[in-house]
């Protein structure tokens, strides 16, 4: 555990060739395949994809928060603050969960324990990690609730989750994830279950806290609009693979993968007014029987015969930009 | 107060018959149980006919014989063959089980179906009654009935049937409630059928799987209750498994086989019925699987 | 909370009334009476003793008298053993049955819950299979089979424990086990299913994401949810623990109320039957109320009711 202190000029998180497979009743489904990416300290990375594209499975697998079995997680390396997460013992991994890596989940309705008070759920993490006194933990929890904009934090401490509104619950969830000042926050569609007005507030809140606390954020979403507002860099996932990575601005300006282009094309705000909105043809692929070539080929309007034969790897096509499109890699797009 | 019971009634989904059969056949324990049950029933029904002994033949010179080649399960204090007595006891137990389960299922299905079908206030009152019945010391009533009105078999059927219908009623009510909103039921209404035809021809047949499952699970409870009464000396005059066990207990210190064989027969039957019921339930609704 | 309590206590009244009425007429309508089996010197003597216990009055008058007596807390004299009143008999015998029932409950909870939780936590491993096979076996072995078998093995063959009686603490081990094992088996199965369900829920993942220990995740976060069906089961189980004690008291010669009840039923000791049934009914109702309170105590979402 000596090398867990972050080295300067090193990346906060490096993932190399992550594979996640779900095995049930003898059938293996590869939910994530050959995923590689890096993250700097303080950076915000968006992970975009349709539901079922493996984005949540990929990020949860980093801290082994998938039920195993059926999930099987393999990777060359998942290096976080110097430690290889997948090779840590359960106990070492526990010391990272919640303390160095905080997670905000999608459904504030179900992600909080209905049987325990907000106060208990907030303080137990502090106590587990720092062994501090209950009163001290309570003080920190109240302070954190204040920071995330929960009114009457002291009264809220003794509330149960069902007594709070959806937005309030998500604020509690965020407070819970940030209590111990993690260097990485994984936000798994934190606003999907909320009203649009509340969504904006929560989005705003996370960004403010990110700046104040200086943590890195991985933002998992299916909503490109959210990415545009929040992320410095964006990775687009399709069928368990990253198909394009680029700085967010560049990604929107000139997408370098047909799937990215299609996603942006389906977004009202980024669309020229006169043309009709283009939806994406076809349905997401069945992960248990992927085509042998590029997984997007059946829905791709730029597909060429070669696309059906070879499955393209994610390759660097320009400084800071990667794409997994054969056409792009051949310089034909 | 009753959430556990209501949960049991949570949706049963209907799949194709083939997949139910396949799922059931994959469950080795359930299939084995079915085979064991068939064997038990066959030997109880047919076995005594092929034996040299009858259940009341006494061989005074062969009292308290341990199991041997001529008397597979040994003999009792009067030199009677235990094997045949266990088979005859099985006849009584299975007879009671069949009829009393039939009574319980009939009452339960009818009551539950009507409560679920009428809904609203009627349903609330009817189910409240079931709740109350659940909270009565029913074994007490069965005991009063059988001690007071003599040990007639018919009465035993009625008494057991009358207390074991409650769970079935709850389950069927839940099923009917959820069926009410289904399209085919609305279609049946739309054709102008009278209510009893909608209920009995269109809705009830759709709960058949559930009825089969819970019948299989009611049967062991009924057998158990009958054996319980016989054990206390309150059952029928003919010797059922419970009676044999009671006799066995009295002599177990020196002649343990008198206890062990009837106990094994009863326990095996109960186990097989329970395993079969669980297997059927899992086959009808794999999501509710209660077994690894 | 007080309102809830009072409301539930009010619900006791019709149930108890129903029980009294049902038992009263069931018992009276049957042929024969408490003294019909006995040889009296004369018809005169029989009529005299029936008059002494008010048995010659019209049935509804007797019923009304009994109801008013019960309201005054008087359960009458025992018809067959007049040296004590029914209340005195109950005071004497009931604590034994209650003690036995509570021990049975402890056995059920302390074997059943850990087994179920363990099986769920190690789902589909050999631990799970062994515990669940044990549970299925436990459900299928009737207590009047299990009891004698336990006696045979532990008392007669091994000589470790006494065969019967209810005096020293060691006497109480086998009866309590015999009574509790079936319920332990049910609780193990119920809590396993519930635990698996709860462990797959989102808030368990949240708890793990906080870096809590497995112990905290299972016992602090998952257990309350998994307890709900177990608690719901305890209502009917309490009834079963009481009536199950008929057999256990019989096997181990425990001087409890169950034995008294069967004796009374066979003897047609009207007042004694009524008294014991009343005690059982009130106790079962009380247990159901307790179960509801425990539900609300565990699940805050039920509390505002």
């Amino acid at each position: 555990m000596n090398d867990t202190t972050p080295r300067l000029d090193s990346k906060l998180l490096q993932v190399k060739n992550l594979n996640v497979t779900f095995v049930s009743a003898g059938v293996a489904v590869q939910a994530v395949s050959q995923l590689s990416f890096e993250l700097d300290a303080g950076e915000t990375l968006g992970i975009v994809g349709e539901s079922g594209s493996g984005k949540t499975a990929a990020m949860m697998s980093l801290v082994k928060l998938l039920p195993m079995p059926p999930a099987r997680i393999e990777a060359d390396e998942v290096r976080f603050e110097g430690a290889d997460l997948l090779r840590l013992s359960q106990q070492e991994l526990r010391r990272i969960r919640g303390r160095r890596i905080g997670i905000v989940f999608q459904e504030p309705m179900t992600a909080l324990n209905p049987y325990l008070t907000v106060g208990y759920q907030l303080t137990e993490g502090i106590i587990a990690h720092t062994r501090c006194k209950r009163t001290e933990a309570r003080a920190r929890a109240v302070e954190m609730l204040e920071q995330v904009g929960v009114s009457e934090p002291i009264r809220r401490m003794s509330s149960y989750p069902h007594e709070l509104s959806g937005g309030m619950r998500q604020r509690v969830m965020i407070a819970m994830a940030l209590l111990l000042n993690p260097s990485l926050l994984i936000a798994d569609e934190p606003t999907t279950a909320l009203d649009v007005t509340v969504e904006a507030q929560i989005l705003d809140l996370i960004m403010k806290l990110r700046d104040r606390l200086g943590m890195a954020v991985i933002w998992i979403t299916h909503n490109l609009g959210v990415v545009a507002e929040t992320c410095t860099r964006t990775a687009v996932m399709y069928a368990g693979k990253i198909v394009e990575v680029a700085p967010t601005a560049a990604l929107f300006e000139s997408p370098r993968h047909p799937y990215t282009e299609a996603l942006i094309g389906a977004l009202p705000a980024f669309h020229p007014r006169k043309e009709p909105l283009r939806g994406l043809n076809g349905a997401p692929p069945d992960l248990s029987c992927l085509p042998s070539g590029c997984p997007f080929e059946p829905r791709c309007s730029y597909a060429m015969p070669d696309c059906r034969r070879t499955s393209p790897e994610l390759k660097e096509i320009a400084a800071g930009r990667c794409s997994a499109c054969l056409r792009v890699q051949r310089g034909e797009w | 107060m009753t959430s556990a019971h209501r949960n049991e009634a949570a949706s049963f989904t209907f799949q194709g018959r083939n997949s139910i059969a396949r799922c059931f056949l994959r469950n080795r324990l359930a299939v084995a149980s079915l085979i064991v049950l068939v064997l038990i029933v066959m030997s109880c029904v047919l076995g005594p006919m092929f034996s040299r002994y009858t259940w009341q033949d006494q061989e005074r010179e062969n009292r308290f014989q341990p199991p041997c080649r001529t008397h597979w399960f040994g003999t009792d204090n009067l030199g009677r063959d235990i094997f045949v007595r266990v088979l005859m006891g099985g006849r009584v137990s299975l007879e009671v089980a069949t009829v009393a389960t039939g009574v319980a299922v009939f009452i339960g299905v009818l009551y539950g179906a009507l409560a679920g079908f009428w809904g609203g206030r009627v349903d609330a009152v009817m189910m409240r009654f079931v709740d109350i019945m659940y909270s009565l010391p029913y074994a007490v009533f069965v005991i009063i009935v059988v001690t007071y009105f003599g040990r007639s078999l018919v009465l035993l059927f009625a008494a057991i049937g009358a207390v074991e219908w409650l769970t079935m009623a709850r389950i069927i009510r839940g099923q009917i409630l959820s069926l009410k909103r289904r399209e085919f039921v609305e279609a049946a209404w739309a054709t102008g059928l009278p209510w009893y035809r909608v209920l009995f021809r269109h809705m009830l047949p759709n709960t058949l799987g559930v009825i089969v499952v819970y019948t299989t699970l009611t049967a062991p409870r009924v057998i158990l209750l009958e054996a319980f009464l016989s054990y206390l000396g309150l059952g029928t005059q003919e010797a059922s498994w419970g009676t044999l066990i009671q006799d066995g207990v009295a002599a177990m210190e020196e002649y343990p086989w008198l206890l062990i064989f009837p106990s094994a027969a009863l326990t095996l039957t109960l186990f097989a019925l329970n395993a079969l019921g669980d297997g059927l339930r899992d086959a009808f609704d794999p999501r509710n699987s209660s077994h690894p | 909370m007080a309102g809830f309590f009072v409301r539930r206590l009010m619900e006791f009244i019709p149930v108890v009334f129903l029980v009294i009425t049902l038992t009263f007429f069931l018992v009276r309508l049957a042929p024969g009476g408490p003294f019909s089996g006995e040889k009296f010197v004369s018809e005169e003597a029989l009529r005299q003793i029936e008059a002494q216990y008010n048995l010659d009055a019209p049935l509804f008058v007797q019923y009304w008298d009994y109801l008013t007596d019960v309201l005054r807390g008087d359960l009458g004299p025992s018809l067959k053993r007049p040296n004590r009143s029914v209340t005195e008999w109950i005071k004497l015998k009931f604590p034994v049955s209650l003690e036995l029932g509570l021990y049975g409950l402890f056995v059920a909870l302390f074997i059943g819950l850990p087994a179920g939780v363990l099986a769920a936590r190690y789902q589909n491993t050999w631990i799970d299979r062994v515990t669940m096979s044990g549970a299925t076996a436990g459900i299928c072995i009737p207590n009047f089979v299990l009891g004698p078998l336990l006696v045979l093995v532990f008392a007669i063959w091994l000589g470790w424990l006494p065969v019967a009686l209810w005096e020293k603490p060691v006497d109480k081990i086998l009866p309590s086990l015999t009574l509790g094992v079936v319920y332990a088996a049910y609780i193990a199965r119920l809590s396993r299913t519930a635990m698996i369900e709860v462990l797959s829920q989102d808030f368990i993942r949240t708890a793990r994401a906080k870096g809590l220990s497995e112990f905290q995740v299972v016992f602090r976060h998952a257990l309350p949810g998994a307890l709900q069906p177990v608690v719901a089961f305890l209502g009917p189980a309490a009834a079963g623990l009481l009536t199950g004690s008929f057999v256990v008291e019989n096997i181990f010669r425990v001087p409890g109320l169950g034995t008294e009840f069967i004796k009374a039923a066979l003897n047609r000791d009207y007042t004694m039957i009524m008294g014991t049934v009343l005690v059982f009914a009130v106790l079962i109702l009380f247990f159901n109320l307790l179960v509801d309170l425990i539900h609300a105590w565990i699940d805050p979402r039920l509390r505002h009711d």
Side-chain angles (χ1 to χ4, degrees):
Chain A
M1 294 295 287
N2 285 334
D3 57 359
T4 47
T5 45
R7 283 162 287 176
L8 286 175
D9 77 46
S10 82
K11 300 282 183 184
L12 178 71
L13 176 69
Q14 283 174 296
V15 178
K16 276 192 197 134
N17 294 328
L18 175 72
N19 289 301
V20 179
T21 320
F22 288 96
V23 186
S24 70
V27 185
V29 175
Q30 185 142 24
V32 177
S33 57
Q34 297 297 315
L35 197 81
S36 302
F37 68 92
E38 295 178 338
L39 187 69
D40 286 322
E43 189 189 9
T44 303
L45 173 70
I47 308 269
V48 187
E50 292 164 293
S51 37
S53 62
K55 50 195 195 305
T56 300
M59 294 311 128
M60 291 307 143
S61 71
L62 300 180
V63 278
K64 292 196 188 169
L65 273 182
L66 294 174
M68 298 188 286
R72 219 169 47 211
I73 304 168
E74 286 152 346
D76 291 349
E77 189 178 53
V78 176
R79 189 157 289 278
F80 172 76
E81 295 189 334
D84 191 344
L85 294 183
L86 295 188
R87 283 167 189 78
L88 292 181
S89 71
Q90 274 297 322
Q91 204 171 351
E92 289 167 324
L93 188 62
R94 271 208 295 276
R95 292 183 52 75
I96 288 178
R97 287 179 188 166
R99 194 171 62 97
R100 305 306 302 154
I101 300 179
I103 303 178
V104 175
F105 293 100
Q106 177 174 358
E107 280 282 346
M109 295 289 273
T110 56
L112 292 174
N113 193 325
Y115 299 102
L116 302 171
T117 59
V118 166
Y120 181 86
Q121 297 188 58
L122 284 167
T123 50
E124 66 175 343
I126 310 179
I127 294 167
H129 285 291
T130 64
R131 312 231 160 270
C132 70
K133 290 224 172 55
R134 177 142 298 234
T135 45
E136 200 181 319
R138 278 191 72 85
R140 269 166 83 172
V142 170
E143 190 192 339
M144 199 67 223
L145 281 181
E146 226 157 49
Q147 282 203 39
V148 298
V150 170
S151 57
E152 297 185 89
I154 293 171
R155 203 165 66 83
R156 290 291 172 219
M157 289 287 280
S158 48
S159 301
Y160 287 92
H162 72 274
E163 296 164 338
L164 308 178
S165 67
M168 203 55 91
R169 267 179 248 179
Q170 198 57 297
R171 283 171 200 269
V172 170
M173 196 66 227
I174 293 165
M176 206 179 282
L178 300 183
L179 269 171
L180 291 159
N181 239 329
S183 55
L184 171 62
L185 177 75
I186 299 176
D188 182 8
E189 310 223 16
T191 57
T192 310
L194 304 174
D195 293 343
V196 188
T197 45
V198 184
E199 174 175 15
Q201 292 169 7
I202 296 289
L203 218 66
D204 211 43
L205 173 69
I206 295 182
M207 290 306 104
K208 254 192 215 131
L209 289 166
R210 172 196 64 187
D211 296 340
R212 197 184 307 158
L213 304 171
M215 65 199 171
V217 177
I218 293 180
W219 199 293
I220 305 170
T221 181
H222 62 261
N223 186 341
L224 269 178
V226 170
V227 165
E229 286 173 55
T230 56
C231 301
T232 40
R233 233 158 29 102
T234 300
V236 179
M237 279 188 76
Y238 187 80
K241 291 179 173 163
I242 292 183
V243 292
E244 182 170 5
V245 186
T248 307
L251 187 90
F252 278 94
E253 209 163 277
S254 59
R256 303 300 285 155
H257 192 282
Y259 180 59
T260 318
E261 190 193 55
L263 281 183
I264 295 171
L267 205 64
F270 288 84
H271 199 77
R273 236 154 229 259
K274 284 176 189 145
E275 286 177 49
L277 269 179
R278 276 174 293 143
L280 198 51
N281 292 326
D286 179 359
L287 288 173
S288 58
C289 51
L290 282 177
S292 57
C294 171
F296 188 60
E297 182 270 338
R299 299 167 81 184
C300 180
S301 41
Y302 301 94
M304 33 184 214
D306 271 356
C307 292
R308 206 171 287 189
R309 264 170 251 133
T310 45
S311 178
E313 306 262 305
L314 185 67
K315 280 187 187 142
E316 186 148 29
I317 47 162
R321 299 203 65 165
C322 300
S323 169
C325 178
L326 215 53
R327 242 182 221 277
V328 172
Q329 287 170 6
R330 286 184 184 170
E332 295 174 24
W333 189 43
Chain B
M1 159 170 169
T2 55
S3 62
H5 299 282
R6 298 234 166 95
N7 285 344
E8 283 174 56
S11 60
F12 254 75
T13 49
F14 258 81
Q15 309 141 317
R17 276 182 201 175
N18 284 334
S19 83
I20 293 173
R22 228 180 300 125
C23 190
F24 178 76
L25 291 175
R26 235 192 348 248
N27 186 337
R28 270 173 294 170
L29 184 64
V31 174
S33 299
L34 185 61
I35 295 169
V36 167
L37 273 178
V38 170
L39 287 178
I40 291 175
V41 171
M42 298 240 300
S43 40
C44 285
V45 174
L46 303 174
M49 294 182 209
F50 296 105
S51 173
R52 282 194 262 158
Y53 312 102
T54 71
W55 63 279
Q56 45 196 359
D57 277 354
Q58 302 180 3
E59 295 179 9
R60 287 305 168 106
E61 69 286 2
N62 277 336
R63 295 167 68 229
F64 292 123
Q65 277 274 323
C68 61
R69 204 174 303 157
T70 46
H71 298 284
W72 292 353
F73 289 181
T75 60
D76 67 3
N77 57 343
L78 298 173
R80 292 176 296 191
D81 183 68
I82 297 298
F83 182 64
V84 173
R85 283 179 69 75
V86 167
L87 292 185
M88 291 305 292
R91 277 192 187 181
V92 178
S93 290
L94 293 175
E95 210 179 313
V96 176
T98 317
V99 182
T101 306
V103 173
V105 169
F106 180 77
I107 301 177
V109 169
L110 198 64
Y111 192 93
L114 291 177
F117 186 78
W118 284 325
R121 240 155 202 257
V122 180
D123 176 42
V125 170
M126 285 175 86
M127 282 301 124
R128 185 72 201 134
F129 179 67
V130 170
D131 284 347
I132 290 175
M133 288 296 283
Y134 254 114
S135 62
L136 291 184
Y138 65 83
V140 168
F141 282 105
V142 175
I143 288 174
I144 293 177
V145 169
V146 293
T147 50
Y148 271 65
F149 295 88
R151 305 173 177 183
S152 92
L153 214 52
V154 178
L155 204 69
L156 195 64
F157 295 152
I160 295 178
V163 296
E164 291 291 354
W165 59 272
L166 299 170
T167 307
M168 183 63 98
R170 274 192 175 153
I171 305 276
I172 295 299
R173 169 189 170 264
Q175 290 293 307
I176 293 291
L177 271 183
S178 67
L179 281 175
K180 263 160 100 177
R181 283 176 300 236
R182 295 274 292 274
E183 293 86 354
F184 74 89
V185 174
E186 281 170 21
W189 281 121
T191 55
L193 289 175
W195 68 267
Y196 51 88
R197 284 190 68 90
V198 175
L199 176 58
F200 293 110
R201 298 302 295 272
H202 290 266
M203 294 169 87
L204 261 192
N206 274 285
T207 62
L208 198 62
V210 188
I211 295 178
V212 168
V213 169
Y214 282 92
T215 303
T216 323
L217 292 172
T218 304
R221 294 175 54 91
V222 169
I223 293 180
L224 191 63
L225 189 51
E226 187 275 329
F228 162 82
L229 292 170
S230 299
Y231 176 85
L232 290 174
L234 308 173
T236 56
Q237 261 119 14
E238 289 130 277
S240 81
W241 282 335
T243 327
L244 294 178
I245 291 169
Q246 188 198 23
D247 294 346
V249 169
M252 71 178 172
E253 205 161 328
E254 287 154 87
Y255 315 109
W257 60 88
L258 292 181
L259 169 65
I260 287 168
F261 289 110
S263 302
L266 174 61
T267 307
L268 190 65
T269 309
L270 293 175
F271 185 89
L273 277 169
N274 272 314
L276 180 65
D278 285 348
L280 284 172
R281 177 167 53 192
D282 294 352
F284 277 107
D285 187 3
R287 285 169 308 136
N288 268 358
S289 178
S290 60
H291 276 279
Chain C
M1 208 57 182
F4 167 78
F5 207 80
V6 169
R7 202 153 12 102
R8 286 304 305 265
L9 283 176
M10 298 295 277
E11 281 180 24
F12 277 24
I13 295 168
V15 179
V16 170
F17 177 75
L18 193 77
V19 169
I20 292 177
T21 312
L22 217 62
T23 322
F24 187 89
F25 288 103
L26 200 62
V27 165
R28 299 300 166 111
L29 288 176
F35 306 108
S36 57
E38 291 171 30
K39 292 194 179 70
F40 278 90
V41 198
S42 63
E43 280 288 300
E44 182 63 24
L46 177 65
R47 223 166 296 129
Q48 211 166 5
I49 194 156
E50 283 191 342
Q52 185 192 333
Y53 292 118
N54 197 21
L55 292 174
D56 53 350
L59 202 52
F60 275 95
V61 176
Q62 289 187 42
Y63 172 63
W64 182 251
D65 287 349
Y66 187 76
L67 273 186
T68 44
D69 281 352
V70 168
L71 274 183
R72 273 189 275 112
D74 179 11
L75 297 176
S78 167
L79 298 182
K80 301 293 273 197
R81 288 182 297 169
N83 55 331
R84 286 200 172 93
S85 75
V86 172
T87 316
E88 282 167 347
W89 277 114
I90 289 171
K91 268 189 194 149
L92 190 70
K93 301 290 186 177
F94 176 63
V96 177
S97 286
L98 187 67
E99 192 187 356
L100 177 60
L102 286 179
Y103 290 153
L105 190 64
F106 284 138
V107 168
L109 284 174
F110 282 101
I111 296 179
L113 261 186
V117 170
L118 210 66
R121 181 60 192 77
Y122 298 100
Q123 196 192 349
N124 295 333
T125 66
W126 65 268
I127 299 177
D128 186 17
R129 268 174 225 122
V130 168
T131 1
M132 282 307 112
S133 308
T136 311
I139 287 173
C140 297
I141 301 179
N143 50 12
F144 52 85
V145 169
L146 182 66
L149 284 180
L150 287 176
V151 171
L152 194 61
V153 174
F154 291 101
I156 295 174
W157 290 349
L158 296 171
W160 292 350
L161 295 166
V163 175
L165 293 184
W166 187 259
E167 282 150 19
K168 299 182 293 299
V170 276
D171 295 342
K172 300 176 182 180
I173 297 174
L174 286 183
S176 311
L177 271 179
T178 307
L179 186 58
V181 160
V182 186
Y183 298 96
Y186 274 111
I187 288 177
R189 283 172 54 144
L190 272 173
S191 56
R192 174 183 176 272
T193 313
M195 196 71 182
I196 287 173
E197 164 90 29
V198 174
L199 280 176
S200 71
Q201 280 178 8
D202 282 356
F203 63 78
I204 294 300
R205 191 174 58 167
T206 311
R208 294 220 162 95
K210 278 190 238 176
L212 300 180
S213 69
E214 200 56 27
F215 182 86
Q216 279 171 302
V217 171
V218 170
F219 286 94
R220 206 67 188 86
H221 282 263
L223 195 60
L227 275 180
Q228 295 292 1
V230 176
V231 171
F233 169 73
L234 284 182
L241 280 164
L242 288 170
T243 48
S245 72
F246 295 158
V247 164
V248 177
E249 288 178 15
N250 178 303
I251 296 169
F252 296 94
R253 272 172 273 152
V254 177
L257 202 57
T259 316
E260 288 308 313
F261 168 70
I262 291 175
K263 254 190 246 166
L266 289 171
N267 288 335
R268 326 224 143 168
D269 189 340
Y270 292 158
T271 45
M272 197 63 197
I273 298 171
M274 297 295 300
T276 34
V277 170
L278 204 59
V279 170
F280 284 137
V282 169
L283 205 66
I284 287 167
L285 286 171
F286 177 72
F287 248 93
N288 278 324
L289 174 61
L290 204 64
V291 160
D292 285 0
L293 290 177
I294 297 174
H295 263 308
W297 177 60
I298 294 176
D299 191 342
R301 287 168 295 185
L302 302 173
R303 264 176 226 170
H304 49 248
D305 186 33

